Amino acid sequence: MEGSDFVRVKRTSTPDDVASVLLKERERHGVYGAGREVDSTRKRDEDDAENKDYDDDDAGDEDEDDGEDVDDPEEDDGDVKVSDAEKKQQRCFSHGFHLVEGKMKHGMEDYLVAENRKMDGHNLGLYAIFDGHSGREVAEYLQSHLFDNILREPDFWRKPVPAFKKAYRDTNKDILENVVGARGGSTAVTAILIDQKYLVVANVGDSRAVLIRRGKVKQITVDQEPEKKEEKELVESKGGFVIKMPGNVPRVDGQLAMTRAFGDAKVKDHITVEPNVTIEKIDKDTDSIILASHGLWKVMSNEEVAECIRGIEHGKQAAEELITEALVTGSRDDISCVVVMFH
């Protein structure tokens, strides 16, 4: 993917049973995901928009990029050996992505990652959305560095939750010291799919990840917005304040519309980059994983997103359909989306 330069990281040892480690981490930290599962398979009305022909003029005027990658466990490039028994247990999956520049006249500030990587005998899917604000520098830096920083953590395999949090803190320190001035920042939602069995997700800000299992949608990240009681209290405990600005948008110190973000040096003492971390088990009933920036979630609910891609089998097509729907619904912001489909 253009602008994404990843380095393969090798480690001398990994735990014998990564799955057992992840299960223990879930129990230790209680990181089972946010929200509830909602049935999205309800029947649409006959006059629903499922088969509506949308006018592509709005999308056609935007700068777009898209792509799809497929990981088939039956194919091995020689880097990782997979036994016949393991192949039978694994599922094929594919990912696709799509981005569209919004109409806010500040240029494209969204960046994403959608990559398969083999590391220490494990198959990893790396997925992320970085929604920049007041400039693109922080989001662009995160695209190129955050996953490498996470995977370089010595405790990544044995203690993934602390490893994610430390990598987020260290990356933000680099950004504040070397990348951005008083203004400029980015949200982040990062997901690592391990051997198609477990998904570790971390997020700061209002980009979001959801999981669809047997048609039911579950939000697996937390939207960190100033209007929420616990987030407002977090800001105030650091000496900051939350106030509603024109447009009825609560902002930290009257400036930032989220309580957690990378960068934003001007309010760095009153926000945090501490992520919420979630570990989800991926089983035979898992249909898809969706990551998207706020430009999509501000106009579509979790249930609407799940319903929009019902019946679609390819990640790229699903991502395109979601962004088209968001544009039709009236989103003017940059929109980026990654969809992982299990087959």
Side-chain angles (χ1 to χ4, degrees):
M1 177 172 52
E2 183 179 352
S4 178
D5 182 17
F6 291 95
V7 178
R8 291 187 179 275
V9 183
K10 292 295 180 183
R11 235 179 236 40
T12 56
S13 63
T14 60
D16 295 332
D17 187 356
V18 172
S20 68
V21 171
L22 291 171
L23 281 173
K24 289 178 182 178
E25 281 287 275
R26 294 181 85 203
E27 294 170 358
R28 181 183 300 115
H29 296 278
V31 286
Y32 289 87
R36 59 188 176 89
E37 293 186 354
V38 179
D39 191 350
S40 67
T41 59
R42 62 188 183 277
K43 188 179 183 299
R44 290 174 180 247
D45 295 331
E46 291 298 324
D47 59 349
D48 200 287
E50 182 177 25
N51 297 316
K52 183 184 296 183
D53 291 326
Y54 294 121
D55 186 346
D56 290 329
D57 289 345
D58 285 343
D61 291 337
E62 318 294 340
D63 292 338
E64 303 182 5
D65 191 11
D66 53 35
E68 183 169 29
D69 199 359
V70 179
D71 186 88
D72 187 342
E74 295 295 328
E75 296 180 1
D76 186 2
D77 294 330
D79 198 7
V80 175
K81 299 300 181 183
V82 181
S83 70
D84 291 339
E86 289 173 326
K87 288 180 180 180
K88 289 179 180 178
Q89 293 178 356
Q90 290 181 344
R91 302 171 64 192
C92 295
F93 71 99
S94 65
H95 68 245
F97 62 87
H98 194 53
L99 306 90
V100 174
E101 183 176 335
K103 300 178 180 179
M104 306 299 287
K105 298 181 180 180
H106 53 48
M108 185 62 168
E109 295 177 335
D110 277 13
Y111 285 77
L112 61 77
V113 174
E115 177 195 349
N116 295 326
R117 189 183 298 190
K118 294 181 178 180
M119 174 179 161
D120 295 335
H122 297 278
N123 294 306
L124 304 182
L126 309 180
Y127 312 108
I129 299 291
F130 305 119
D131 185 353
H133 48 263
S134 300
R136 62 195 299 175
E137 292 84 2
V138 176
E140 187 175 15
Y141 184 88
L142 291 170
Q143 184 197 53
S144 298
H145 295 85
L146 184 54
F147 273 119
D148 283 337
N149 291 347
I150 293 170
L151 296 175
R152 285 193 185 105
E153 284 297 320
D155 286 337
F156 170 74
W157 289 110
R158 297 186 182 278
K159 297 180 179 179
V161 174
F164 264 76
K165 291 183 177 182
K166 184 176 184 300
Y168 266 55
R169 291 194 300 269
D170 291 348
T171 303
N172 192 52
K173 184 173 183 290
D174 291 340
I175 288 170
L176 291 172
E177 292 178 352
N178 303 309
V179 178
V180 70
R183 289 177 58 82
S186 178
T187 69
V189 54
T190 55
I192 299 182
L193 178 64
I194 301 175
D195 295 328
Q196 305 165 45
K197 295 178 180 178
Y198 286 90
L199 183 75
V200 186
V201 183
N203 83 291
V204 294
D206 52 10
S207 292
R208 186 185 301 173
V210 301
L211 180 147
I212 301 176
R213 182 182 286 120
R214 297 187 68 180
K216 294 182 179 180
V217 61
K218 178 181 181 181
Q219 183 171 328
I220 53 177
T221 55
V222 177
D223 298 339
Q224 296 149 345
E225 298 168 331
E227 62 188 6
K228 294 185 176 180
K229 181 176 181 292
E230 61 274 17
E231 294 298 306
K232 181 179 179 182
E233 290 175 350
L234 177 64
V235 171
E236 292 173 345
S237 71
K238 293 176 174 290
F241 62 91
V242 173
I243 187 172
K244 284 191 175 182
M245 302 301 291
N248 205 33
V249 178
R251 295 180 182 273
V252 175
D253 295 353
Q255 300 177 55
L256 190 63
M258 62 210 66
T259 58
R260 308 188 191 205
F262 285 91
D264 293 300
K266 201 170 184 179
V267 294
K268 66 181 178 63
D269 293 332
H270 300 156
I271 63 172
T272 180
V273 75
E274 184 82 359
N276 287 105
V277 184
T278 297
I279 299 175
E280 290 285 343
K281 187 173 182 180
I282 303 300
D283 56 26
K284 61 182 178 59
D285 294 324
T286 304
D287 302 321
S288 58
I289 303 160
I290 303 163
L291 286 70
S293 60
H294 185 58
L296 184 139
W297 301 114
K298 71 192 298 183
V299 297
M300 297 180 70
S301 68
N302 295 341
E303 296 76 26
E304 289 169 336
V305 164
E307 192 72 1
C308 182
I309 65 170
R310 184 164 59 91
I312 297 177
E313 297 183 355
H314 301 287
K316 178 176 178 291
Q317 181 184 355
E320 291 174 347
E321 186 68 21
L322 286 171
I323 289 183
T324 297
E325 182 70 15
L327 291 171
V328 170
T329 306
S331 179
R332 297 177 57 83
D333 202 353
D334 299 336
I335 312 174
S336 53
C337 183
V338 176
V339 180
V340 183
M341 290 285 191
F342 295 89
H343 311 286

